[in-house]
Coordinates of all heavy atoms in Angstrom, one line a residue:
M227 N 0.9 -1.2 0.0 CA 0.0 0.0 0.0 C 0.9 1.2 0.0 O 1.8 1.3 0.8 CB -0.9 0.0 1.2 CG -1.8 1.1 1.3 SD -3.0 1.0 2.7 CE -4.2 -0.2 2.0
T228 N 0.6 2.1 -0.9 CA 1.4 3.3 -1.0 C 0.8 4.5 -0.3 O -0.4 4.4 0.2 CB 1.6 3.7 -2.5 OG1 0.3 4.2 -3.0 CG2 2.1 2.6 -3.4
E229 N 1.6 5.5 -0.1 CA 1.1 6.7 0.6 C -0.1 7.3 -0.2 O -1.1 7.7 0.5 CB 2.2 7.7 0.7 CG 1.8 9.0 1.4 CD 3.0 9.9 1.6 OE1 4.1 9.6 1.4 OE2 2.7 11.1 2.0
Q230 N 0.0 7.3 -1.5 CA -1.1 7.8 -2.3 C -2.4 7.0 -2.1 O -3.5 7.6 -2.0 CB -0.7 7.8 -3.8 CG -1.8 8.5 -4.7 CD -2.1 10.0 -4.3 OE1 -1.2 10.7 -3.9 NE2 -3.3 10.4 -4.4
D231 N -2.3 5.7 -2.0 CA -3.4 4.8 -1.8 C -4.1 5.2 -0.5 O -5.3 5.2 -0.4 CB -3.0 3.3 -1.8 CG -2.6 2.8 -3.1 OD1 -3.0 3.4 -4.1 OD2 -1.8 1.8 -3.1
I232 N -3.3 5.4 0.5 CA -3.8 5.7 1.9 C -4.5 7.1 1.9 O -5.6 7.2 2.4 CB -2.7 5.7 2.9 CG1 -2.2 4.2 3.1 CG2 -3.2 6.2 4.3 CD1 -1.0 4.1 4.0
L233 N -3.9 8.0 1.2 CA -4.5 9.4 1.1 C -5.8 9.3 0.4 O -6.8 10.0 0.8 CB -3.6 10.4 0.5 CG -2.3 10.7 1.3 CD1 -1.3 11.5 0.5 CD2 -2.7 11.4 2.6
E234 N -5.9 8.5 -0.7 CA -7.2 8.4 -1.4 C -8.2 7.7 -0.6 O -9.4 8.1 -0.6 CB -6.9 7.6 -2.7 CG -6.2 8.4 -3.8 CD -5.8 7.6 -5.0 OE1 -6.2 6.4 -5.1 OE2 -5.0 8.1 -5.8
A235 N -7.8 6.7 0.2 CA -8.8 6.0 1.0 C -9.3 6.9 2.1 O -10.5 6.9 2.4 CB -8.1 4.8 1.6
L236 N -8.4 7.7 2.7 CA -8.9 8.7 3.7 C -9.9 9.7 3.1 O -10.9 10.0 3.8 CB -7.6 9.5 4.2 CG -6.7 8.7 5.2 CD1 -5.5 9.5 5.4 CD2 -7.5 8.4 6.5
E237 N -9.6 10.2 1.9 CA -10.6 11.1 1.3 C -11.9 10.4 1.0 O -13.0 11.0 1.2 CB -9.9 11.6 0.0 CG -10.8 12.7 -0.7 CD -10.1 13.3 -1.9 OE1 -8.8 13.3 -1.9 OE2 -10.8 13.7 -2.8
E238 N -11.9 9.2 0.6 CA -13.1 8.5 0.3 C -13.9 8.3 1.6 O -15.1 8.5 1.6 CB -12.8 7.1 -0.3 CG -14.0 6.3 -0.7 CD -13.6 5.0 -1.4 OE1 -12.6 4.9 -2.0 OE2 -14.4 4.0 -1.3
W239 N -13.2 7.9 2.6 CA -13.9 7.7 3.9 C -14.6 9.0 4.4 O -15.7 9.0 4.9 CB -13.0 7.3 5.0 CG -12.8 5.8 5.1 CD1 -11.8 5.0 4.7 CD2 -13.8 4.8 5.6 NE1 -12.0 3.7 4.9 CE2 -13.3 3.6 5.5 CE3 -15.1 5.0 6.2 CZ2 -13.9 2.4 5.9 CZ3 -15.7 3.8 6.6 CH2 -15.2 2.6 6.4
Q240 N -13.9 10.1 4.2 CA -14.5 11.4 4.6 C -15.6 11.8 3.8 O -16.5 12.5 4.2 CB -13.4 12.5 4.6 CG -12.3 12.3 5.6 CD -11.1 13.2 5.5 OE1 -11.0 13.9 4.5 NE2 -10.3 13.3 6.6
N241 N -15.7 11.4 2.5 CA -16.8 11.7 1.6 C -18.0 10.9 1.9 O -19.1 11.2 1.4 CB -16.3 11.6 0.2 CG -15.3 12.7 -0.2 OD1 -15.3 13.8 0.4 ND2 -14.5 12.4 -1.2
L242 N -17.9 9.8 2.5 CA -19.0 8.9 2.8 C -19.9 9.5 3.8 O -19.5 10.2 4.8 CB -18.6 7.5 3.2 CG -17.8 6.7 2.2 CD1 -17.3 5.4 2.8 CD2 -18.8 6.3 1.0
S243 N -21.2 9.2 3.7 CA -22.1 9.6 4.8 C -21.9 8.7 6.0 O -22.0 7.5 5.9 CB -23.6 9.4 4.3 OG -24.5 9.7 5.3
V244 N -21.6 9.3 7.1 CA -21.3 8.5 8.3 C -22.5 8.5 9.2 O -22.8 9.5 9.9 CB -20.1 9.1 9.0 CG1 -19.7 8.2 10.2 CG2 -18.9 9.2 8.1
D245 N -23.3 7.4 9.2 CA -24.4 7.3 10.1 C -24.0 6.6 11.4 O -22.9 6.1 11.4 CB -25.6 6.5 9.4 CG -25.2 5.1 9.0 OD1 -24.4 4.5 9.7 OD2 -25.7 4.7 8.0
P246 N -24.8 6.6 12.4 CA -24.4 6.1 13.7 C -23.9 4.6 13.6 O -23.0 4.3 14.4 CB -25.7 6.2 14.5 CG -26.4 7.3 13.9 CD -26.1 7.2 12.4
E247 N -24.5 3.8 12.8 CA -24.0 2.4 12.7 C -22.6 2.3 12.1 O -21.9 1.4 12.5 CB -25.0 1.6 11.8 CG -26.4 1.4 12.4 CD -27.3 2.5 12.0 OE1 -27.1 3.1 10.9 OE2 -28.2 2.9 12.8
N248 N -22.3 3.2 11.2 CA -21.0 3.1 10.6 C -19.9 3.9 11.3 O -18.7 3.8 10.9 CB -21.1 3.5 9.1 CG -21.8 2.6 8.3 OD1 -21.9 1.4 8.6 ND2 -22.5 3.1 7.3
R249 N -20.3 4.7 12.3 CA -19.4 5.6 12.9 C -18.2 4.9 13.5 O -17.0 5.3 13.3 CB -20.1 6.4 14.0 CG -19.2 7.4 14.7 CD -19.1 8.6 13.8 NE -18.2 9.6 14.5 CZ -17.7 10.6 13.9 NH1 -17.9 10.8 12.6 NH2 -17.0 11.4 14.6
Y250 N -18.4 3.8 14.3 CA -17.3 3.1 14.9 C -16.4 2.5 13.9 O -15.2 2.6 14.0 CB -17.9 2.0 15.9 CG -16.8 1.2 16.6 CD1 -16.1 1.8 17.6 CD2 -16.4 0.0 16.2 CE1 -15.1 1.1 18.3 CE2 -15.4 -0.7 16.8 CZ -14.7 -0.1 17.9 OH -13.7 -0.8 18.5
A251 N -17.0 1.8 12.9 CA -16.1 1.2 11.8 C -15.3 2.3 11.1 O -14.1 2.1 10.8 CB -17.0 0.5 10.8
Y252 N -15.9 3.4 10.9 CA -15.3 4.6 10.2 C -14.1 5.0 11.1 O -12.9 5.2 10.6 CB -16.2 5.7 10.0 CG -15.6 7.0 9.7 CD1 -15.1 7.3 8.4 CD2 -15.4 8.0 10.7 CE1 -14.5 8.5 8.1 CE2 -14.8 9.2 10.4 CZ -14.3 9.5 9.1 OH -13.7 10.6 8.8
E253 N -14.3 5.2 12.4 CA -13.2 5.7 13.2 C -12.1 4.6 13.3 O -10.9 5.0 13.3 CB -13.7 6.0 14.6 CG -14.6 7.2 14.6 CD -15.3 7.5 15.9 OE1 -15.2 6.7 16.9 OE2 -15.9 8.6 16.1
M254 N -12.4 3.3 13.4 CA -11.4 2.3 13.4 C -10.6 2.3 12.1 O -9.3 2.1 12.1 CB -12.0 0.9 13.7 CG -12.5 0.8 15.1 SD -11.2 1.0 16.4 CE -11.6 2.7 17.0
R255 N -11.3 2.4 11.0 CA -10.6 2.4 9.7 C -9.7 3.6 9.6 O -8.6 3.5 9.1 CB -11.6 2.3 8.6 CG -11.1 2.3 7.2 CD -10.4 1.0 6.9 NE -10.0 1.0 5.5 CZ -9.1 0.2 5.0 NH1 -8.5 -0.7 5.7 NH2 -8.8 0.2 3.7
L256 N -10.2 4.7 10.0 CA -9.4 6.0 9.9 C -8.2 5.9 10.7 O -7.1 6.2 10.3 CB -10.3 7.1 10.4 CG -9.6 8.5 10.4 CD1 -9.2 8.9 9.0 CD2 -10.6 9.5 11.0
K257 N -8.3 5.3 11.9 CA -7.1 5.1 12.8 C -6.1 4.2 12.1 O -4.9 4.5 12.1 CB -7.5 4.6 14.2 CG -6.3 4.4 15.1 CD -6.7 3.7 16.4 CE -5.6 3.4 17.3 NZ -4.4 2.9 16.7
W258 N -6.6 3.1 11.5 CA -5.7 2.2 10.9 C -5.0 2.8 9.7 O -3.8 2.7 9.5 CB -6.5 1.0 10.4 CG -5.6 -0.1 9.8 CD1 -4.9 -1.1 10.4 CD2 -5.4 -0.3 8.4 NE1 -4.2 -1.8 9.5 CE2 -4.5 -1.4 8.2 CE3 -5.8 0.4 7.2 CZ2 -4.0 -1.8 7.0 CZ3 -5.3 0.0 6.0 CH2 -4.4 -1.1 5.9
L259 N -5.7 3.6 8.9 CA -5.1 4.3 7.7 C -4.1 5.3 8.2 O -3.0 5.4 7.6 CB -6.2 4.9 6.9 CG -7.1 4.0 6.1 CD1 -8.3 4.7 5.5 CD2 -6.3 3.3 5.0
L260 N -4.4 6.0 9.2 CA -3.4 7.0 9.7 C -2.2 6.3 10.3 O -1.1 6.8 10.1 CB -4.1 7.9 10.7 CG -5.1 8.9 10.2 CD1 -5.9 9.6 11.4 CD2 -4.6 9.9 9.2
D261 N -2.4 5.2 10.9 CA -1.2 4.4 11.4 C -0.4 3.9 10.2 O 0.9 4.0 10.3 CB -1.7 3.2 12.2 CG -2.2 3.6 13.6 OD1 -2.0 4.8 14.0 OD2 -2.9 2.8 14.2
Q262 N -1.0 3.5 9.2 CA -0.3 3.0 8.0 C 0.5 4.1 7.4 O 1.7 4.0 7.0 CB -1.2 2.4 7.0 CG -1.9 1.1 7.4 CD -0.9 0.0 7.8 OE1 0.0 -0.3 7.0 NE2 -1.0 -0.5 9.0
L263 N -0.1 5.3 7.3 CA 0.5 6.5 6.7 C 1.8 6.9 7.5 O 2.8 7.1 7.0 CB -0.5 7.6 6.6 CG 0.0 8.9 6.0 CD1 0.5 8.7 4.5 CD2 -1.1 9.9 6.0
S264 N 1.6 6.8 8.8 CA 2.7 7.1 9.7 C 3.9 6.1 9.5 O 5.0 6.5 9.5 CB 2.2 7.2 11.2 OG 3.3 7.4 12.0
N265 N 3.5 4.9 9.4 CA 4.5 3.8 9.3 C 5.3 4.0 7.9 O 6.5 3.9 7.9 CB 3.9 2.4 9.3 CG 3.4 2.0 10.6 OD1 3.8 2.6 11.6 ND2 2.5 1.1 10.7
I266 N 4.6 4.3 6.9 CA 5.2 4.5 5.6 C 6.2 5.7 5.6 O 7.3 5.7 5.2 CB 4.2 4.8 4.5 CG1 3.5 3.4 4.2 CG2 4.8 5.3 3.2 CD1 2.3 3.6 3.3
R267 N 5.7 6.8 6.2 CA 6.5 8.0 6.3 C 7.7 7.8 7.2 O 8.8 8.2 6.9 CB 5.7 9.2 6.8 CG 4.8 9.7 5.7 CD 3.9 10.8 6.2 NE 3.1 11.3 5.0 CZ 2.1 12.1 5.2 NH1 1.7 12.6 6.4 NH2 1.4 12.6 4.1
G268 N 7.5 7.0 8.3 CA 8.6 6.7 9.2 C 9.7 5.8 8.6 O 10.9 6.0 8.7
S269 N 9.2 4.8 7.8 CA 10.1 3.9 7.1 C 10.9 4.7 6.1 O 12.1 4.4 5.9 CB 9.3 2.8 6.5 OG 8.7 2.0 7.4
R270 N 10.3 5.6 5.4 CA 10.9 6.4 4.4 C 12.1 7.2 5.0 O 13.2 7.3 4.5 CB 10.0 7.3 3.7 CG 10.6 8.1 2.5 CD 9.6 9.0 1.8 NE 8.5 8.3 1.3 CZ 7.2 8.8 1.3 NH1 7.0 10.0 1.8 NH2 6.2 8.1 0.8
E271 N 11.8 7.8 6.1 CA 12.8 8.7 6.8 C 13.9 7.8 7.3 O 15.1 8.2 7.2 CB 12.1 9.4 8.0 CG 13.1 10.3 8.7 CD 13.8 11.4 7.9 OE1 13.2 11.8 6.8 OE2 14.9 11.9 8.3
E272 N 13.6 6.6 7.9 CA 14.7 5.7 8.3 C 15.6 5.3 7.2 O 16.8 5.3 7.3 CB 14.1 4.5 9.0 CG 13.4 4.7 10.3 CD 12.7 3.5 10.8 OE1 12.8 2.4 10.2 OE2 11.9 3.6 11.8
G273 N 15.0 5.0 6.0 CA 15.8 4.6 4.9 C 16.6 5.8 4.4 O 17.8 5.6 4.0
R274 N 16.1 7.0 4.4 CA 16.9 8.1 4.0 C 18.1 8.4 4.9 O 19.2 8.6 4.5 CB 16.0 9.4 4.0 CG 16.6 10.6 3.4 CD 15.7 11.8 3.4 NE 15.6 12.4 4.7 CZ 16.5 13.2 5.3 NH1 17.6 13.5 4.6 NH2 16.3 13.7 6.4
Q275 N 17.8 8.3 6.2 CA 18.9 8.5 7.2 C 20.0 7.4 7.0 O 21.2 7.7 7.1 CB 18.3 8.4 8.6 CG 17.5 9.6 9.0 CD 18.3 10.9 9.0 OE1 19.5 10.9 9.3 NE2 17.6 12.0 8.6
E276 N 19.5 6.1 6.8 CA 20.5 5.1 6.6 C 21.3 5.3 5.3 O 22.6 5.1 5.3 CB 19.8 3.7 6.5 CG 20.7 2.5 6.4 CD 19.9 1.2 6.4 OE1 18.9 1.1 7.2 OE2 20.3 0.3 5.7
G277 N 20.7 5.8 4.3 CA 21.4 6.1 3.0 C 22.4 7.2 3.2 O 23.5 7.1 2.7
L278 N 22.0 8.2 4.0 CA 23.0 9.3 4.2 C 24.2 8.8 5.0 O 25.3 9.2 4.7 CB 22.3 10.4 5.0 CG 21.3 11.3 4.2 CD1 20.5 12.2 5.1 CD2 22.0 12.0 3.1
K279 N 23.9 8.0 6.0 CA 25.0 7.5 6.8 C 26.0 6.7 6.0 O 27.2 6.8 6.1 CB 24.4 6.7 8.0 CG 25.5 6.1 8.9 CD 24.9 5.3 10.0 CE 26.0 4.7 10.9 NZ 25.4 3.8 11.9
Q280 N 25.4 5.8 5.2 CA 26.2 4.9 4.3 C 27.0 5.8 3.4 O 28.2 5.5 3.1 CB 25.3 3.9 3.6 CG 26.1 3.0 2.7 CD 25.2 2.0 2.0 OE1 24.0 2.0 2.2 NE2 25.8 1.2 1.1
G281 N 26.4 6.8 2.8 CA 27.1 7.7 1.9 C 28.3 8.4 2.6 O 29.4 8.6 2.0
R282 N 28.1 8.9 3.8 CA 29.1 9.5 4.5 C 30.3 8.6 4.8 O 31.5 8.9 4.7 CB 28.6 10.1 5.8 CG 27.8 11.4 5.7 CD 27.5 12.0 7.0 NE 26.7 11.2 7.9 CZ 25.4 11.3 8.0 NH1 24.7 12.1 7.2 NH2 24.7 10.5 8.8
E283 N 30.0 7.3 5.2 CA 31.0 6.3 5.4 C 31.8 6.0 4.2 O 33.0 5.9 4.2 CB 30.4 5.1 6.0 CG 29.8 5.3 7.4 CD 30.9 5.8 8.4 OE1 32.0 5.2 8.5 OE2 30.6 6.7 9.1
E284 N 31.1 5.9 3.0 CA 31.8 5.6 1.8 C 32.7 6.8 1.4 O 33.8 6.6 0.9 CB 30.8 5.3 0.7 CG 30.1 3.9 0.9 CD 29.0 3.7 -0.1 OE1 28.7 4.5 -1.0 OE2 28.3 2.6 0.0
G285 N 32.2 8.0 1.6 CA 33.0 9.2 1.3 C 34.2 9.2 2.2 O 35.3 9.6 1.7
K286 N 34.1 8.9 3.4 CA 35.2 8.9 4.3 C 36.3 7.9 3.9 O 37.5 8.2 3.9 CB 34.8 8.7 5.8 CG 35.8 9.1 6.8 CD 35.2 9.1 8.2 CE 36.0 9.9 9.2 NZ 35.3 9.9 10.5
N287 N 35.8 6.7 3.5 CA 36.7 5.7 3.1 C 37.4 6.1 1.8 O 38.7 5.9 1.7 CB 35.9 4.4 2.8 CG 35.4 3.7 4.1 OD1 35.8 4.0 5.2 ND2 34.5 2.8 3.9
E288 N 36.8 6.7 0.9 CA 37.4 7.2 -0.3 C 38.4 8.3 0.0 O 39.5 8.3 -0.6 CB 36.3 7.8 -1.3 CG 36.8 8.3 -2.6 CD 37.4 7.2 -3.5 OE1 37.1 6.0 -3.2 OE2 38.0 7.5 -4.5
T289 N 38.1 9.2 0.9 CA 39.0 10.2 1.3 C 40.3 9.6 1.9 O 41.4 10.0 1.6 CB 38.4 11.2 2.4 OG1 37.2 11.8 1.7 CG2 39.3 12.3 2.8
I290 N 40.1 8.6 2.8 CA 41.3 8.0 3.4 C 42.1 7.3 2.3 O 43.4 7.5 2.3 CB 40.8 6.9 4.4 CG1 40.2 7.6 5.6 CG2 42.0 6.0 4.8 CD1 39.5 6.6 6.6
R291 N 41.5 6.6 1.4 CA 42.2 6.0 0.3 C 43.0 7.0 -0.5 O 44.2 6.8 -0.8 CB 41.3 5.2 -0.6 CG 42.0 4.4 -1.7 CD 41.0 3.8 -2.7 NE 40.2 4.7 -3.4 CZ 40.6 5.5 -4.4 NH1 41.9 5.4 -4.8 NH2 39.8 6.4 -5.0
K292 N 42.4 8.1 -0.9 CA 43.1 9.1 -1.7 C 44.2 9.8 -0.9 O 45.3 10.1 -1.5 CB 42.1 10.2 -2.1 CG 41.2 9.7 -3.2 CD 40.2 10.8 -3.7 CE 39.4 10.3 -4.8 NZ 38.5 11.3 -5.3
M293 N 44.0 10.0 0.4 CA 45.1 10.7 1.2 C 46.3 9.7 1.2 O 47.5 10.2 1.1 CB 44.6 11.0 2.6 CG 43.5 12.1 2.6 SD 42.7 12.2 4.2 CE 43.9 13.3 5.1
V294 N 46.1 8.5 1.4 CA 47.2 7.5 1.5 C 47.9 7.4 0.1 O 49.1 7.3 0.0 CB 46.7 6.1 2.0 CG1 47.8 5.1 1.9 CG2 46.3 6.3 3.5
E295 N 47.1 7.4 -0.9 CA 47.6 7.3 -2.3 C 48.5 8.5 -2.6 O 49.5 8.4 -3.4 CB 46.5 7.2 -3.4 CG 45.9 5.9 -3.5 CD 44.7 5.8 -4.5 OE1 44.4 6.9 -5.1 OE2 44.1 4.7 -4.6
K296 N 48.2 9.6 -2.0 CA 49.0 10.9 -2.2 C 50.2 10.9 -1.4 O 51.0 11.9 -1.4 CB 48.1 12.1 -2.0 CG 46.9 12.3 -2.9 CD 47.4 12.7 -4.2 CE 46.2 13.0 -5.1 NZ 46.5 13.3 -6.5
G297 N 50.4 9.9 -0.6 CA 51.6 9.7 0.2 C 51.5 10.1 1.7 O 52.5 10.2 2.4
M298 N 50.3 10.4 2.1 CA 50.2 10.7 3.6 C 50.3 9.5 4.4 O 49.9 8.4 4.0 CB 48.8 11.4 3.8 CG 48.7 12.8 3.2 SD 47.1 13.6 3.7 CE 47.5 14.0 5.4
S299 N 50.9 9.6 5.6 CA 51.1 8.5 6.5 C 49.7 8.2 7.2 O 48.9 9.0 7.3 CB 52.1 8.8 7.5 OG 51.6 9.8 8.4
I300 N 49.6 7.0 7.6 CA 48.4 6.5 8.4 C 48.2 7.4 9.6 O 47.1 7.8 9.9 CB 48.5 5.0 8.8 CG1 48.7 4.1 7.6 CG2 47.4 4.6 9.7 CD1 47.4 3.9 6.8
T301 N 49.4 7.8 10.2 CA 49.3 8.6 11.4 C 48.7 10.0 11.1 O 47.9 10.5 11.8 CB 50.7 8.8 12.0 OG1 51.3 7.5 12.3 CG2 50.7 9.6 13.3
D302 N 49.2 10.6 10.0 CA 48.7 11.9 9.6 C 47.2 11.8 9.2 O 46.4 12.7 9.6 CB 49.5 12.5 8.5 CG 50.9 12.9 8.9 OD1 51.1 13.1 10.1 OD2 51.8 13.0 8.0
V303 N 46.8 10.8 8.5 CA 45.4 10.7 8.1 C 44.5 10.5 9.3 O 43.5 11.2 9.4 CB 45.2 9.4 7.1 CG1 43.8 9.2 6.9 CG2 46.0 9.6 5.8
A304 N 45.0 9.7 10.2 CA 44.2 9.5 11.5 C 44.1 10.8 12.3 O 43.0 11.1 12.7 CB 44.9 8.4 12.3
H305 N 45.2 11.5 12.3 CA 45.1 12.8 13.1 C 44.2 13.8 12.4 O 43.4 14.4 13.1 CB 46.6 13.4 13.2 CG 46.6 14.7 13.9 ND1 46.5 14.8 15.2 CD2 46.8 15.9 13.4 CE1 46.5 16.1 15.6 NE2 46.7 16.8 14.5
I306 N 44.3 13.9 11.1 CA 43.4 14.9 10.4 C 42.0 14.6 10.5 O 41.1 15.4 10.6 CB 43.9 15.0 8.9 CG1 45.2 15.7 8.8 CG2 42.8 15.7 8.1 CD1 45.9 15.6 7.4
L307 N 41.6 13.3 10.4 CA 40.2 12.8 10.4 C 39.7 12.5 11.8 O 38.6 12.0 11.9 CB 40.1 11.6 9.4 CG 40.4 11.9 8.0 CD1 40.2 10.6 7.2 CD2 39.4 13.0 7.4
D308 N 40.6 12.8 12.8 CA 40.2 12.5 14.2 C 39.8 11.0 14.4 O 38.7 10.7 14.9 CB 39.1 13.5 14.6 CG 39.0 13.5 16.2 OD1 40.0 13.2 16.8 OD2 37.8 13.8 16.6
M309 N 40.6 10.2 13.9 CA 40.4 8.7 14.0 C 41.6 8.1 14.6 O 42.7 8.7 14.7 CB 40.2 8.1 12.6 CG 39.0 8.6 11.9 SD 38.9 8.0 10.2 CE 38.5 6.3 10.4
T310 N 41.5 6.8 15.0 CA 42.7 6.1 15.5 C 43.4 5.5 14.2 O 42.8 5.3 13.2 CB 42.4 5.0 16.4 OG1 41.6 4.0 15.7 CG2 41.6 5.5 17.6
E311 N 44.7 5.2 14.4 CA 45.4 4.6 13.3 C 44.8 3.2 12.9 O 44.7 2.9 11.7 CB 46.9 4.4 13.6 CG 47.6 5.7 13.7 CD 49.1 5.6 14.0 OE1 49.7 4.5 13.6 OE2 49.7 6.5 14.7
E312 N 44.3 2.5 13.9 CA 43.7 1.2 13.7 C 42.4 1.4 12.9 O 42.1 0.6 12.0 CB 43.3 0.6 15.1 CG 42.7 -0.8 14.9 CD 42.4 -1.4 16.3 OE1 43.3 -1.4 17.2 OE2 41.3 -1.9 16.5
E313 N 41.6 2.4 13.1 CA 40.4 2.7 12.4 C 40.7 3.0 10.9 O 40.0 2.5 10.0 CB 39.6 3.9 13.0 CG 38.9 3.6 14.3 CD 38.3 4.8 14.9 OE1 38.9 5.9 14.8 OE2 37.2 4.7 15.5
V314 N 41.8 3.7 10.7 CA 42.2 4.1 9.3 C 42.6 2.8 8.6 O 42.2 2.5 7.5 CB 43.3 5.1 9.3 CG1 43.9 5.3 7.9 CG2 42.8 6.4 9.9
R315 N 43.4 2.0 9.3 CA 43.9 0.7 8.7 C 42.7 -0.2 8.3 O 42.7 -0.9 7.3 CB 44.9 0.0 9.6 CG 46.2 0.6 9.6 CD 47.2 -0.3 10.4 NE 48.5 0.4 10.4 CZ 48.9 1.2 11.4 NH1 48.1 1.4 12.5 NH2 50.1 1.8 11.4
E316 N 41.7 -0.3 9.3 CA 40.5 -1.1 9.0 C 39.8 -0.7 7.8 O 39.4 -1.5 6.9 CB 39.6 -1.1 10.2 CG 40.1 -1.9 11.4 CD 39.1 -1.7 12.6 OE1 38.1 -1.1 12.5 OE2 39.5 -2.2 13.7
R317 N 39.7 0.6 7.6 CA 38.9 1.2 6.4 C 39.7 1.0 5.2 O 39.1 0.9 4.1 CB 38.6 2.7 6.6 CG 37.5 2.9 7.7 CD 37.3 4.3 7.9 NE 36.3 4.5 8.9 CZ 35.0 5.0 8.6 NH1 34.7 5.3 7.4 NH2 34.2 5.2 9.6
L318 N 41.0 0.9 5.3 CA 41.9 0.6 4.1 C 41.9 -0.9 3.8 O 42.3 -1.3 2.7 CB 43.3 1.1 4.3 CG 43.5 2.6 4.3 CD1 44.9 3.0 4.7 CD2 43.2 3.1 2.9
G319 N 41.5 -1.7 4.7 CA 41.5 -3.1 4.6 C 42.8 -3.7 4.8 O 43.2 -4.8 4.4
D320 N 43.7 -3.0 5.6 CA 45.0 -3.5 5.9 C 44.9 -4.5 7.1 O 44.1 -4.3 8.0 CB 46.0 -2.4 6.3 CG 46.3 -1.5 5.1 OD1 46.0 -2.0 4.0 OD2 46.9 -0.5 5.3

């Protein structure tokens, strides 16, 4: 179920005539749809944050690799990037 599907369902529910017999069912369905919408939006944000984190890590690894290729020592790279020498070596795969 997509966000658009949920939004369309919400609009349809609101357009229906809500008589006393259907009121409870309407409210339960509305709650369920709003929960689904929240879950979709939350999952999307989690995925975005995870992607950003992964991108930053890949960028840092690339920076380390380039610095070492240019002749910088592991010690200097670690100092500049505020890392331990062991962390730098791990990212280089040494």
Side-chain angles (χ1 to χ4, degrees):
M227 180 173 283
T228 68
E229 182 176 348
Q230 185 61 35
D231 292 336
I232 292 172
L233 292 172
E234 287 173 7
L236 285 170
E237 188 175 327
E238 184 178 332
W239 271 107
Q240 289 174 347
N241 291 334
L242 292 173
S243 173
V244 183
D245 60 33
E247 293 88 33
N248 291 330
R249 183 78 180 165
Y250 181 76
Y252 166 80
E253 289 174 354
M254 291 298 103
R255 180 72 173 160
L256 179 61
K257 181 186 179 317
W258 183 84
L259 289 169
L260 292 172
D261 288 345
Q262 293 302 309
L263 184 59
S264 178
N265 289 340
I266 288 171
R267 288 178 175 165
S269 295
R270 184 182 302 145
E271 180 61 22
E272 289 172 13
R274 188 180 76 77
Q275 290 296 327
E276 186 175 320
L278 288 172
K279 181 180 177 185
Q280 182 179 353
R282 283 191 297 268
E283 292 301 311
E284 290 173 4
K286 197 170 198 176
N287 291 344
E288 181 69 11
T289 299
I290 290 168
R291 185 187 61 75
K292 286 182 179 182
M293 291 170 86
V294 170
E295 284 178 359
K296 297 286 183 183
M298 291 186 74
S299 71
I300 300 284
T301 303
D302 288 340
V303 172
H305 179 73
I306 290 169
L307 297 177
D308 196 27
M309 299 172 69
T310 66
E311 290 180 32
E312 183 178 313
E313 289 173 321
V314 172
R315 285 189 184 90
E316 285 175 8
R317 287 177 182 251
L318 287 171
D320 290 351

